[in-house]
Amino acid sequence: MCPARTLRPLRIASGAEAASLVLLLANLATVHARPLSALLGPLHGTAYLAVIALTWLLPPPLPPGVRWRALVPGVGGLLVLRRTDGTDSTDSSDSTDSADGASVATKR
């Protein structure tokens, strides 16, 4: 699990990436205002590249495949955050066995 301090810029960039994609698609589906597209397009591209760069700069150890998830356009940052927030590849105490024998993840 990465410290919150190292994930904060990634959270901001992934939020900007996802929000700008939603706004771009909403604009496309409704009025298709060119000035809005001209503003949101570069914002989305910059956020996408920032997510990729910030993900590749995360300190190891990381769960398998985390860095490659950043390459998914639009939601890659959210996928990375989902994978890095709740798991720690070096600590096995995050899961406990339930009564039926299935492994259940617990949040701390």
Side-chain angles (χ1 to χ4, degrees), residues 96-102 104:
T96 57
D97 289 334
S98 64
D100 64 354
V104 179

Side-chain angles (χ1 to χ4, degrees), residues 17-108:
E17 179 190 17
S20 63
L21 178 64
V22 168
L23 291 173
L24 275 168
L25 293 175
N27 181 43
L28 182 64
T30 57
V31 296
H32 195 54
R34 290 200 183 270
L36 194 57
S37 296
L39 174 71
L40 291 174
L43 175 68
H44 176 70
T46 302
Y48 174 64
L49 293 175
V51 163
I52 292 170
L54 290 168
T55 300
W56 284 82
L57 291 174
L58 286 175
L62 291 173
V66 167
R67 290 191 169 105
W68 294 107
R69 286 184 172 112
L71 299 175
V72 178
V75 294
L78 298 175
L79 294 173
V80 169
L81 288 171
R82 181 178 179 194
R83 186 73 170 129
T84 57
D85 279 348
T87 61
D88 186 355
S89 61
T90 60
D91 187 10
S92 62
S93 66
D94 284 348
S95 64
T96 57
D97 289 334
S98 64
D100 64 354
S103 181
V104 179
T106 57
K107 286 267 189 180
R108 291 183 203 183

